[in-house]
Amino acid sequence: MKFKEAKNKFVQTWGALGSQWGINKTMAQIHALLMVSHEAVSMEDIMEELQISRGNASMNLRALMDWGIVYKEYKAGERREFFTAEKDLDELAVKISRERSKREIKPALKVLKEVSSITSDNTAEEKHFVDQTTKLYDFVLKADNVLDKMTEYKDNWLAKLVVKIMK
Amino acid sequence: MKFKEAKNKFVQTWGALGSQWGINKTMAQIHALLMVSHEAVSMEDIMEELQISRGNASMNLRALMDWGIVYKEYKAGERREFFTAEKDLDELAVKISRERSKREIKPALKVLKEVSSITSDNTAEEKHFVDQTTKLYDFVLKADNVLDKMTEYKDNWLAKLVVKIMK
DNA sequence: ACAAACTTTCATTTATTATTGAAAGTTCGA
DNA sequence: TCGAACTTTCAATAATAAATGAAAGTTTGT
């Protein structure tokens, strides 16, 4: 396989993977492209390589920056902006975890707490509902805490986790 | 909040969460509904509660059964089929992890291995590509192994992980 | 072997989500 | 302060994904 082909395959695969995890394809592709670029890339070049419009590039770059995993860079004497991705994988995972926790898990926890707190008539049906949603709340809370704790290690957290868990 | 309202809110929330994680809304809603039902539910009742068509219900129940997190149940003297969800959360998490690993992570790993194995000319560009995709391969492989190891505990794995990790 | 009771399939339709591109906005140098 | 070079916004459009529903399929009791 030649470099260009490999790069393209990587970008496509990363994009498809993104879709399956609820991240829009172009966003994941831009991220992939920046991850494997050895130097910062202009919006123009991103548009060209991925064959996407200016608006699309702009919006998804903004989203990636909101996630904190892509950065703007300014080059001396250049008017236009360049972009780079976070390339440290531990850091990348930490940021993605934090964002998903904040955006999705925390709000879900809030709802779980609410719905598990209804004052139930004691029908079997309602008792089961309260019981099950309470368990779910506890479970998700615990999982969220674990994630948080793991990412606190920050540096090399996955490797450290491997050590802890394998023995 | 009344029971019916709480149940509905839970089902809606679970559905929305599903979407954000790449699982279709109805599939997640059916799963939510079954999770909090104290007894097996017929297809007719699912259609009624979620206001969906027969075809939709059938297809998503099939998908949930393929994931191994919803089961068919037969009641004595009843012609129609009833459905229940896996209610043990450890078991549920294990099954979801296994499936996502099999369907998404493993294939991605295959591609990462491929693209990181190109014979690079030694341009900085190509060297960086090989380096970065190799790192990514190692990272994803390690993460997948951790997931696997964790779910091997099966019983109460999250609680055990909490113990390991917090100290 | 038939028909009632039920489930599955899949071509068509509908809903959702992503993308485009042109206009508006911004920044910077002269 | 003007205008060139660039970026952002957002209404319109296109692409994708999900849902419908009627026909085909299956199972079971008689």
Side-chain angles (χ1 to χ4, degrees):
Chain A
M1 194 162 24
K2 284 291 302 159
F3 170 61
K4 271 207 149 177
E5 192 190 340
K7 184 172 175 183
N8 191 257
K9 186 162 195 174
F10 172 68
V11 169
Q12 292 306 122
T13 303
W14 208 239
L17 203 61
S19 298
Q20 290 173 311
W21 287 79
I23 286 141
N24 113 21
K25 191 184 62 176
T26 303
M27 185 170 154
Q29 286 180 342
I30 294 177
H31 181 247
L33 180 63
L34 294 179
M35 284 253 288
V36 297
S37 297
H38 67 309
E39 54 184 24
V41 182
S42 70
M43 200 154 94
E44 206 69 41
D45 287 347
I46 292 169
M47 287 163 58
E48 166 64 25
E49 276 220 56
L50 302 180
Q51 290 292 304
I52 59 174
S53 72
R54 191 170 294 286
N56 197 6
S58 176
M59 301 231 290
N60 284 111
L61 281 165
R62 146 91 26 241
L64 285 163
M65 290 189 293
D66 289 346
W67 277 69
I69 59 179
V70 160
Y71 314 112
K72 259 188 197 168
E73 243 176 47
Y74 298 95
K75 289 198 185 174
E78 278 271 17
R79 185 76 165 263
R80 61 214 157 118
E81 300 169 336
F82 293 80
F83 301 88
T84 6
E86 174 60 61
K87 293 198 181 70
D88 181 84
L89 298 177
D90 289 310
E91 189 62 27
L92 176 65
V94 165
K95 290 199 162 162
I96 292 177
S97 299
R98 292 238 172 98
E99 282 298 307
R100 295 209 89 145
S101 168
K102 190 171 77 187
R103 295 175 194 217
E104 295 150 20
I105 301 180
K106 294 288 192 315
L109 275 171
K110 187 158 165 281
V111 172
L112 279 172
K113 191 165 206 168
E114 270 174 52
V115 302
S116 65
S117 305
I118 59 169
T119 41
S120 109
D121 317 343
N122 280 13
T123 63
E125 199 186 8
E126 300 204 6
K127 268 195 288 197
H128 179 264
F129 177 83
V130 170
D131 185 53
Q132 190 68 15
T133 51
T134 302
K135 279 182 183 154
L136 202 48
Y137 175 78
D138 291 343
F139 189 89
V140 175
L141 184 62
K142 212 179 275 175
D144 191 46
N145 284 338
V146 166
L147 211 58
D148 207 56
K149 209 54 148 192
M150 290 193 322
T151 61
E152 258 173 35
Y153 294 158
K154 207 155 189 167
D155 207 49
N156 220 23
W157 64 266
L158 181 56
K160 285 179 186 164
L161 183 60
V162 171
V163 173
K164 282 219 176 198
I165 232 170
M166 295 299 175
K167 61 186 179 192
Chain B
M1 192 163 25
K2 286 290 303 159
F3 170 61
K4 269 208 152 179
E5 192 190 340
K7 184 172 175 182
N8 192 257
K9 186 162 195 175
F10 171 68
V11 169
Q12 293 307 123
T13 303
W14 208 239
L17 203 61
S19 298
Q20 291 173 310
W21 288 80
I23 284 141
N24 113 23
K25 192 184 64 176
T26 303
M27 185 169 154
Q29 286 181 342
I30 294 177
H31 182 247
L33 180 63
L34 295 179
M35 284 253 288
V36 297
S37 296
H38 67 309
E39 53 184 25
V41 183
S42 70
M43 200 154 96
E44 205 70 40
D45 287 347
I46 292 169
M47 287 164 58
E48 167 65 25
E49 276 220 56
L50 303 180
Q51 291 292 302
I52 59 173
S53 71
R54 192 171 293 286
N56 197 7
S58 176
M59 301 232 288
N60 284 113
L61 281 165
R62 146 90 26 239
L64 285 162
M65 289 188 294
D66 289 346
W67 278 70
I69 60 180
V70 160
Y71 314 111
K72 260 188 195 167
E73 241 175 49
Y74 298 95
K75 289 197 185 174
E78 278 270 17
R79 184 75 164 264
R80 61 212 158 122
E81 300 169 336
F82 292 80
F83 301 88
T84 6
E86 174 61 61
K87 293 197 181 70
D88 181 84
L89 298 178
D90 289 309
E91 189 62 27
L92 177 65
V94 166
K95 290 200 162 162
I96 292 175
S97 298
R98 293 239 172 98
E99 282 297 307
R100 295 209 89 145
S101 169
K102 190 172 75 186
R103 294 175 194 217
E104 295 150 20
I105 301 179
K106 295 288 193 313
L109 275 171
K110 187 158 164 280
V111 172
L112 279 173
K113 191 165 207 171
E114 270 175 51
V115 300
S116 64
S117 304
I118 59 167
T119 40
S120 110
D121 314 344
N122 279 16
T123 63
E125 199 186 8
E126 301 205 6
K127 269 196 287 198
H128 179 264
F129 177 84
V130 170
D131 185 54
Q132 191 67 16
T133 51
T134 302
K135 279 183 183 154
L136 202 48
Y137 175 78
D138 291 343
F139 189 90
V140 175
L141 183 63
K142 214 181 273 177
D144 191 47
N145 283 338
V146 167
L147 212 59
D148 206 56
K149 208 54 147 193
M150 289 193 321
T151 61
E152 257 173 34
Y153 295 159
K154 206 153 189 169
D155 208 48
N156 220 23
W157 65 267
L158 181 55
K160 285 179 187 166
L161 183 61
V162 171
V163 173
K164 284 220 176 198
I165 232 170
M166 295 300 175
K167 59 184 180 192

